């Protein structure tokens, strides 16, 4: 998988942007960890293909290590990586996937309740893509306990008020950050579709069923909380 991704040529809408970063330097505002990665490669190689090769080794390598260390069924973890199309996303959203692979490798600190160690992992990941900073919330989801009734209330709140909250966030992003340009570009894919939300709803229902049979299992509760968060976020940006 790493070799196929590493030797790709003009696959993904960001391919040209990353090629330009390698040839002419990263643009202002790019995270320092990613800039260091690019500069190290430029100091050794003169072909931009090296960026795609080593970033693919980074993403697939860390994900596979995390799967074999943390997953009860590594084969199925890797299979899901492919069939859910995340593998193909990694050929475009390179920085995001590099950061995500670091988070995956460091998730053991969540289970071990080592906040400082996990915070360090998040900071390293955020040096590749700053959005990784939001994943600090995963640490606190591990011990979060609530009831099915409260989940339903949060879901109802998301449906009723979500669009207004998202509209406010979009306004703030356009006004105060450099990411506003994405809303008027091809990267704006619109609201989350009903089918997309339904998938998360089915996953949530399945996790509730599993949780009811394994209430003392912290991992099951943790996965339930993550799925619930994904469902709520999708409902905030959904079209009904």
């Amino acid at each position: 998988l790493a070799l196929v991704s590493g030797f790709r040529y003009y696959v993904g809408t960001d391919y040209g942007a990353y090629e330009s970063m390698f040839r002419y330097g990263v643009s202002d505002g790019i995270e320092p960890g990613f800039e260091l990665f690019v500069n190290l490669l430029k100091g050794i190689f003169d072909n931009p293909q090296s960026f795609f090769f080593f970033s693919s080794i980074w993403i697939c390598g860390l994900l596979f290590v995390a799967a074999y260390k943390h997953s009860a069924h590594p084969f199925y973890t890797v299979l899901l990586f492919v069939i859910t199309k995340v593998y193909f996303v990694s050929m475009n959203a390179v920085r995001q996937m590099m950061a995500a692979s670091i988070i995956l490798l460091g998730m053991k600190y969540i289970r071990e309740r080592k906040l400082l160690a996990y915070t360090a992992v998040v900071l390293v990941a955020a040096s590749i893509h700053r959005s990784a900073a939001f994943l600090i919330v995963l640490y606190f989801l591990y011990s979060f306990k609530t009831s099915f009734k409260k989940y339903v209330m949060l879901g109802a709140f998301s449906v009723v008020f979500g669009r207004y909250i998202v509209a406010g966030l979009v306004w703030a992003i356009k006004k105060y950050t450099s990411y506003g340009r994405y809303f008027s570009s091809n990267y704006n894919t619109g609201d989350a579709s009903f089918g997309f939300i339904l998938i998360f709803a089915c996953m949530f229902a399945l996790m509730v069923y599993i949780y009811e049979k394994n209430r003392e299992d912290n991992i099951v509760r943790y996965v339930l909380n993550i799925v619930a968060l994904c469902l709520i976020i999708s409902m905030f940006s959904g079209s009904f």
Side-chain angles (χ1 to χ4, degrees):
L1 291 175
L3 290 177
V4 170
S5 177
F7 287 109
R8 68 188 184 276
Y9 183 70
Y10 269 94
V11 174
T13 55
D14 282 354
Y15 186 98
Y18 287 120
E19 185 179 45
S20 295
M21 286 183 191
F22 185 91
R23 292 187 185 278
Y24 310 113
V26 299
S27 56
D28 293 339
I30 294 295
E31 293 81 356
F34 181 76
E35 183 176 5
L36 176 62
F37 175 71
V38 173
N39 288 337
L40 285 174
L41 291 178
K42 287 177 63 176
I44 303 172
F45 306 99
D46 58 4
N47 190 329
Q49 193 65 45
S50 62
F51 168 81
F52 299 101
F53 179 80
F54 284 102
S55 62
S56 298
I57 294 293
W58 176 318
I59 294 167
C60 293
L62 293 188
L63 183 137
F64 294 164
V65 171
Y68 279 94
K69 281 190 173 183
H70 308 318
S71 176
H73 303 285
F75 172 81
Y76 293 114
T77 300
V78 175
L79 181 63
L80 283 171
F81 175 57
V82 177
I83 65 175
T84 58
K85 300 182 180 180
V86 177
Y87 168 65
F88 303 102
V89 170
S90 73
M91 297 186 193
N92 188 55
V94 178
R95 286 191 299 133
Q96 293 92 324
M97 289 301 299
M98 288 174 66
S101 63
I102 295 172
I103 295 293
L104 283 174
L105 194 62
M107 289 190 77
K108 68 173 185 176
Y109 298 121
I110 297 176
R111 189 173 61 253
E112 296 170 359
R113 311 311 294 152
K114 295 180 178 179
L115 177 58
L116 289 178
Y118 181 68
T119 301
V121 169
V122 171
L123 290 175
V124 172
S127 76
I128 303 297
H129 198 285
R130 58 178 59 91
S131 64
F134 291 103
L135 295 180
I136 191 67
V137 72
L138 295 181
Y139 184 88
F140 303 100
L141 282 180
Y142 187 85
S143 56
F144 180 74
K145 295 181 181 180
T146 189
S147 64
F148 179 72
K149 180 180 178 181
K150 291 180 179 178
Y151 277 132
V152 173
M153 292 173 62
L154 281 171
F157 177 86
S158 303
V159 172
V160 177
F161 299 104
R163 294 182 68 83
Y164 304 104
I165 295 173
V166 169
L169 290 173
V170 169
W171 175 84
I173 291 170
K174 287 181 176 180
K175 186 173 179 62
Y176 297 110
T177 76
S178 61
Y179 292 100
R181 67 184 186 276
Y182 288 111
F183 292 103
S184 57
S185 71
N186 292 331
Y187 292 101
N188 184 3
T189 57
D191 295 336
S193 66
F194 179 75
F196 184 76
I197 297 171
L198 185 61
I199 291 173
F200 278 120
C202 291
M203 291 172 62
F204 176 70
L206 176 62
M207 286 309 306
V208 169
Y209 173 78
I210 295 173
Y211 177 67
E212 288 300 322
K213 295 181 176 295
N214 302 272
R215 281 185 166 271
E216 302 304 317
D217 192 320
N218 291 333
I219 298 297
V220 171
R221 186 181 67 243
Y222 184 45
V223 175
L224 171 63
N225 288 337
I226 292 176
V227 172
L229 179 63
C230 292
L231 174 59
I232 291 169
I233 291 174
S234 67
M235 292 171 74
F236 260 85
S237 59
S239 55
F240 296 95

